[in-house]
Amino acid sequence: MTDVAILHDRFPGIGGGEEFAIEAARVLEAPIYTTYVADGTDLPPDVDLIPFRQSKYTSLPWRPFLEWKNEGMNPLETLNVALDMTDAHSDLAAYDVILESAPLSKYYVPHVDQRIVHYPHSPPRWLYDLYRDRLSSFDTPILEASIKAYAKGWRALDKEANDYVDQFVANSELVRDRLRRFYGRDAAVVYPPVTGDWRNEGDDGYFVTWSRLAPEKRIELIAKAFAGLDERLVIAGDGQQRDELENFAAAYDNIEVRGYVDDIESLVARATAVVYAPKQEDFGLVGAETMMAGKPLLGVNEGFTRYQVQGGRTGLLFEPTVASIRETVRRFDPTDFDSVEIREAARCYEYECFAENLRTVIGETAVADVDIPELESSQADRSDDAGSSETTQERDETRTQAVGELTGGDDDTADNELEGVTDQ
């Protein structure tokens, strides 16, 4: 039996990365090890979560310096988490496979006989594809030079830690391409699961957008577009731009900011369509959830969103401009879209697909080193043909047994390449 543990960098709250770690733990029946859990974080009772540096990050006198701030850009907190990940927890030595969730978990230094599966969600975007965007917010030459030097050092450390990883797993084809581009490593693709009671209950005549209210989500752009339309827009979510959006919406009768909505499924169930415009989104859980609800998605023509929107079937694409959003909303006709067809296109995001694909990747990685070492190949070459055949058969049986333990014993599933999963 392959023993698996989840290693997640930290729990500053329950976001997409934390939800993935929780669902992976349920699928693999594995514990989660993490540096700390922030106060007020609501954890599910059925998951075994072990915060191994809790007091360091949540108690005085270090708490003011090590709290999660500025979307993970607190350099002192980030550096401490990375350093604490190197040795992590002594109990991790007992596991055959470590599934690492989120970028900083990659700094864990494994034992020689451990296999490492790394699910980064994306290479750190502030170091790579969003580097210039983040740098543009610092207009002081000395500060800009310091940030450049800081980022250069982190890139070196980030790439050095790739040596510990046996198998990368991407949450979309877009992230797989980023891993190839920035790391020179290939990756399997396993979509994160869509959970919740997503459904279609009709059309109450409003468009909805929801996410964390941060600049890269472009909620402000959507609000400005609807300011020039007669259509209603409901904005759900919380974050640093909430006050700014509420002040803007106060001047328009057709725009409403509701803040965090606990039952987002019911809000979407009665919407006409969902509008989504994030900047180069890695996966886009909002888009997947929209499709699971059978609702049309009006999405930006970039990132993974462009792959989720299949023109004429699941929604319409627009460019990231006010004019393009307005034009798209005006020509959108909800009668052109079939909720059943949209829901069918979302089957790849179902929980069962996630569970099956994840178990297969873990199983394949666990036995990736079951082979005759090169050092012993000369001895194997000198053995007779019967002996060689027997050795090959034994290796195949070992592989099948190990993968079967994780996939529920379905040999056909274990031996065939699943959709979106690279056969290792």
Side-chain angles (χ1 to χ4, degrees):
M1 180 78 178
T2 301
D3 291 326
V4 184
I6 315 293
L7 183 59
H8 187 71
D9 53 11
R10 75 280 237 198
F11 274 71
I14 301 297
E18 290 70 41
E19 288 179 353
F20 166 82
I22 289 169
E23 297 304 334
R26 286 169 172 158
V27 166
L28 301 171
E29 299 180 358
I32 302 174
Y33 291 81
T34 190
T35 50
Y36 70 97
V37 179
D39 291 343
T41 303
D42 188 17
L43 298 172
D46 62 321
V47 172
D48 184 15
L49 196 146
I50 302 153
F52 51 84
R53 295 287 189 275
Q54 182 70 14
S55 61
K56 174 181 177 180
Y57 292 88
T58 60
S59 303
L60 295 174
W62 300 111
R63 178 175 177 175
F65 303 100
L66 298 180
E67 281 184 318
W68 168 276
K69 292 178 181 177
N70 192 23
E71 304 299 335
M73 289 289 287
N74 177 346
L76 190 58
E77 189 262 5
T78 304
L79 179 60
N80 271 270
V81 171
L83 290 174
D84 287 335
M85 279 287 158
T86 59
D87 54 350
H89 195 287
S90 58
D91 287 354
L92 288 173
Y95 294 93
D96 302 315
V97 178
I98 306 296
L99 172 59
E100 299 172 341
S101 168
L104 292 179
S105 61
K106 185 174 60 176
Y107 290 89
Y108 171 70
V109 180
H111 292 267
V112 68
D113 56 346
Q114 282 184 317
R115 302 296 94 187
I116 300 298
V117 177
H118 187 57
Y119 195 105
H121 301 282
S122 177
R125 301 193 66 187
W126 71 277
L127 291 179
Y128 299 103
D129 61 304
L130 293 183
Y131 167 67
R132 289 175 179 81
D133 288 343
R134 297 291 176 89
L135 192 65
S136 65
S137 61
F138 302 98
D139 53 6
T140 304
I142 295 178
L143 185 57
E144 181 181 347
S146 299
I147 296 298
K148 284 183 177 179
Y150 176 68
K152 186 176 179 62
W154 264 111
R155 277 195 213 98
L157 293 172
D158 181 59
K159 292 185 178 182
E160 179 185 89
N162 291 339
D163 294 341
Y164 305 138
V165 178
D166 296 289
Q167 175 66 59
F168 279 94
V169 183
N171 62 13
S172 70
E173 287 79 4
L174 178 70
V175 171
R176 181 187 62 193
D177 291 343
R178 287 181 192 164
L179 293 169
R180 289 170 174 171
R181 174 68 180 87
F182 298 127
Y183 292 166
R185 296 283 296 272
D186 204 355
V189 176
V190 176
Y191 296 137
V194 174
T195 59
D197 183 23
W198 299 100
R199 61 198 185 275
N200 190 331
E201 295 180 344
D203 183 355
D204 282 354
Y206 60 85
F207 292 78
V208 66
T209 186
W210 84 95
S211 72
R212 179 169 41 87
L213 303 183
E216 59 266 25
K217 299 299 183 180
R218 292 183 176 138
I219 304 297
E220 184 180 17
L221 180 71
I222 297 173
K224 288 179 178 179
F226 272 80
L229 296 169
D230 294 330
E231 304 288 350
R232 289 176 57 204
L233 174 68
V234 177
I235 299 172
D238 205 350
Q240 66 188 82
Q241 288 191 311
R242 180 172 177 177
D243 291 343
E244 180 182 343
L245 287 166
E246 287 179 336
N247 292 335
F248 179 85
Y252 300 93
D253 294 335
N254 65 319
I255 302 176
E256 176 186 359
V257 179
R258 293 195 182 180
Y260 176 76
V261 176
D262 185 56
D263 187 11
I264 189 66
E265 295 95 331
S266 294
L267 181 64
V268 174
R270 304 297 303 177
T272 302
V274 172
V275 187
Y276 194 45
K279 182 178 293 186
Q280 294 293 341
E281 188 67 278
D282 306 333
F283 170 69
L285 190 59
V286 168
E289 290 168 340
T290 299
M291 295 168 63
M292 289 286 282
K295 292 291 183 177
L297 176 63
L298 307 187
V300 68
N301 186 25
E302 64 180 47
F304 191 62
T305 308
R306 74 173 65 166
Y307 299 103
Q308 293 174 322
V309 177
Q310 302 169 21
R313 185 185 182 199
T314 63
L316 299 174
L317 288 171
F318 56 78
E319 299 304 318
T321 65
V322 167
S324 182
I325 295 174
R326 287 177 180 170
E327 188 275 331
T328 302
V329 172
R330 287 181 178 129
R331 67 185 174 89
F332 170 73
D333 184 350
T335 63
D336 292 340
F337 298 89
D338 181 6
S339 63
V340 175
E341 188 174 8
I342 295 173
R343 181 64 183 80
E344 182 66 23
R347 291 192 63 184
C348 59
Y349 306 129
E350 290 179 344
Y351 196 93
E352 292 75 15
C353 291
F354 161 74
E356 187 176 26
N357 289 356
L358 183 63
R359 290 191 187 108
T360 298
V361 170
I362 296 295
E364 293 283 357
T365 306
V367 297
D369 62 333
V370 180
D371 206 343
I372 297 177
E374 291 184 9
L375 188 63
E376 300 175 4
S377 60
S378 59
Q379 296 177 4
D381 291 340
R382 289 195 296 270
S383 64
D384 57 36
D385 293 340
S388 298
S389 299
E390 183 178 358
T391 302
T392 301
Q393 182 179 359
E394 290 173 354
R395 293 202 309 270
D396 290 343
E397 289 174 353
T398 301
R399 174 188 179 278
T400 302
Q401 180 181 359
V403 177
E405 289 173 352
L406 283 160
T407 59
D410 187 344
D411 293 339
D412 292 336
T413 301
D415 288 338
N416 291 316
E417 181 179 352
L418 294 170
E419 180 180 358
V421 178
T422 303
D423 186 5
Q424 297 300 319

